Amino acid sequence: GRNTAYNENSAIDVSSRLFIDKPKAVLYRYWRKLENLPNFMEHLNEVKESGNVSYWSSKIPGGLGEVDWEAEILQEEENYLIIWRSLPGSEIDNAGEVKFLDSVDGKGSIVETTISYRPPAGDLGEFAAKLFNPAFKKLVEKDLQHFKNFMEAGDFENETFRKWEETGNF
């Protein structure tokens, strides 16, 4: 639904795929509670949900400040898929999806992410894209690795997490 005509910069797409030794339902439920994302995405300051709209605050790489935006979930399939995009007028034009798949051996899950962002138009946007594209790819890959480490580390091996795994509620 984005207009890509007339010299707008191309989107930057980053895809990752990683095995995590946890059931996909547990991974999905944790990720779907968007307020949890700053627990493993170091660049995020805060995420707040209000209905189908979420409010995001993130650090700009290199300590150059912060950026905020609003996003909406476009499609969701429980324990399998979440697709989102930023709302028009947001400071960041981004979209993405995360899939939670059973591993082939059934002993864990595969988490696939595709995240896309479009730098702002003009010279400043072109400069920012050249500067941040390599950092953005590394950031997404690092976030997914942190998610794996966080979920597998057993940080949830306490009464609260056991209750959450059983009921799906914190």
Side-chain angles (χ1 to χ4, degrees), residues 3-21:
N3 180 2
T4 58
Y6 307 114
N7 296 327
E8 285 190 28
N9 296 337
S10 297
I12 309 303
D13 297 319
V14 176
S15 296
S16 295
R17 179 180 168 101
L18 194 61
F19 171 82
I20 301 178
D21 190 17

Side-chain angles (χ1 to χ4, degrees), residues 16-18 20 27 98-100 109-113 144 147:
S16 295
R17 179 180 168 101
L18 194 61
I20 301 178
L27 301 175
V98 59
K99 290 181 182 177
F100 303 89
S109 305
I110 303 295
V111 178
E112 294 180 348
T113 60
L144 193 55
F147 182 56

